[in-house]
Amino acid sequence: MTFWDSLTVGEARILGSHIFAADDIKRFAAKFDPQPFHLDEVAAKGSVLGGLCASGWHTAGVCMRLNVENQVAFAKDWIAAGNRPPRMGPSPGVTNLRWPKPVYVGDTITFTQTLTAKRASGSRPGWGVLEFTTLGVNQHGETVFSFDGAAFCGTD
Amino acid sequence: MTFWDSLTVGEARILGSHIFAADDIKRFAAKFDPQPFHLDEVAAKGSVLGGLCASGWHTAGVCMRLNVENQVAFAKDWIAAGNRPPRMGPSPGVTNLRWPKPVYVGDTITFTQTLTAKRASGSRPGWGVLEFTTLGVNQHGETVFSFDGAAFCGTD
């Protein structure tokens, strides 16, 4: 079976979980998002967010790492099982990137990716387009992160 | 004049410029996007991207830092000029996040933000919604990064 044919629309895959530690939250914020509620517990307590929480871009970065690690592990198993390597193209971007709730220090966020559509590419023979929704959910079951993405994938 | 009234639709503000150094590209990638073309010059040369380039999430993080720094500096001047502090709400997310071209090692990316719309909030008296487009352009004039965002802003 080709990698393309093995993919089922509606199927979710768990990318992994991550616990957001205070040091990591502050280190990321100092470099990329130096707002008080990402940098300092006391300032965060008095802010609209009520406590130290991760930059939304930090959450996105952690999700990306888990996604890459998951893809590498999957491809390794897929090839070890005697299949041809999956061919994936780079992503041109994402849309509807949302942070509906803060990620507070100590929260465990579990990221999942669900394939929402697959279609042959009109312009690139031998390639198709995968569409997917990625979610981050905290230990209380609340969605804290989501986006929709698309990527080229070889069909043969 | 209120901060809200001082804002003109169509007005662009330069957030700042950043040169992407090899060490920074690799350090970010090792933590958040461990793909070969973000981690290693030789592997990157042989990849579809043709050379070491920054993770798209790294570009987003740099843009966010410049944005925060720009806002802090602006608010300081605004208050020093005798005005009331601007009231900005957190952003619920962004859309149309695009990386149309790679950011290669040594590239200088200049980020700008253009206000595309402002409207009073129907649900929150005393607040309005600002819509803006953020662009990152390299030293050759090519757009390498863009997204559309919205934020609540006090109107009085």
Side-chain angles (χ1 to χ4, degrees), chain B:
Chain B
M1 196 190 313
T2 66
F3 175 63
W4 175 264
D5 288 334
S6 78
L7 299 170
T8 306
V9 170
E11 210 161 53
R13 110 193 128 98
I14 296 173
L15 302 180
S17 295
H18 182 81
I19 301 173
F20 283 78
D23 280 359
D24 289 338
I25 289 175
K26 294 177 193 177
R27 198 176 301 126
F28 186 96
K31 280 207 143 175
F32 300 115
D33 194 351
Q35 299 189 79
F37 37 77
H38 300 320
L39 283 170
D40 180 84
E41 278 89 349
V42 176
K45 197 119 193 166
S47 79
V48 63
L49 296 172
L52 188 71
C53 55
S55 166
W57 300 103
H58 186 183
T59 309
V62 167
C63 180
M64 186 66 197
R65 187 186 68 229
L66 293 171
N67 187 30
V68 170
E69 287 173 353
N70 191 281
Q71 278 188 17
V72 169
F74 175 87
K76 208 174 146 186
D77 289 349
W78 179 256
I79 294 163
N83 297 297
R84 290 168 55 193
R87 289 184 300 135
M88 296 288 293
S91 165
V94 306
T95 195
N96 301 325
L97 180 59
R98 292 279 176 267
W99 300 284
K101 288 197 177 268
V103 172
Y104 290 108
V105 59
D107 278 359
T108 302
I109 310 302
T110 301
F111 297 92
T112 57
Q113 202 165 74
T114 303
L115 186 66
T116 53
K118 60 185 244 193
R119 55 190 162 77
S121 165
S123 57
R124 297 172 70 176
W127 289 84
V129 176
L130 302 176
E131 292 178 12
F132 49 85
T133 294
T134 303
L135 287 185
V137 176
N138 69 16
Q139 68 275 19
H140 309 299
E142 299 164 324
T143 298
V144 296
F145 178 71
S146 64
F147 70 84
D148 298 322
F152 280 99
C153 176
T155 55
D156 47 22

Side-chain angles (χ1 to χ4, degrees), chain A residues 90-121:
Chain A
S91 165
V94 305
T95 194
N96 301 326
L97 180 59
R98 292 277 176 268
W99 299 285
K101 289 196 177 268
V103 172
Y104 290 107
V105 59
D107 278 359
T108 301
I109 310 303
T110 300
F111 297 91
T112 56
Q113 202 165 74
T114 302
L115 187 65
T116 53
K118 59 186 245 192
R119 55 189 163 79
S121 166

Side-chain angles (χ1 to χ4, degrees), chain A residues 2-89:
Chain A
T2 66
F3 175 63
W4 176 264
D5 288 333
S6 78
L7 299 169
T8 306
V9 170
E11 209 162 53
R13 110 192 128 98
I14 296 173
L15 302 179
S17 296
H18 182 82
I19 301 173
F20 284 78
D23 280 359
D24 289 339
I25 289 175
K26 293 177 193 175
R27 198 176 301 125
F28 186 96
K31 280 206 143 177
F32 300 114
D33 194 350
Q35 300 189 79
F37 37 76
H38 300 319
L39 283 171
D40 180 84
E41 278 89 350
V42 176
K45 197 118 194 168
S47 78
V48 62
L49 296 172
L52 188 71
C53 55
S55 166
W57 300 101
H58 186 182
T59 309
V62 167
C63 179
M64 186 66 197
R65 187 187 69 228
L66 293 172
N67 187 29
V68 170
E69 288 174 351
N70 191 280
Q71 278 188 17
V72 169
F74 176 87
K76 208 175 146 186
D77 290 348
W78 179 256
I79 294 163
N83 297 296
R84 291 169 55 195
R87 291 183 299 136
M88 295 289 293

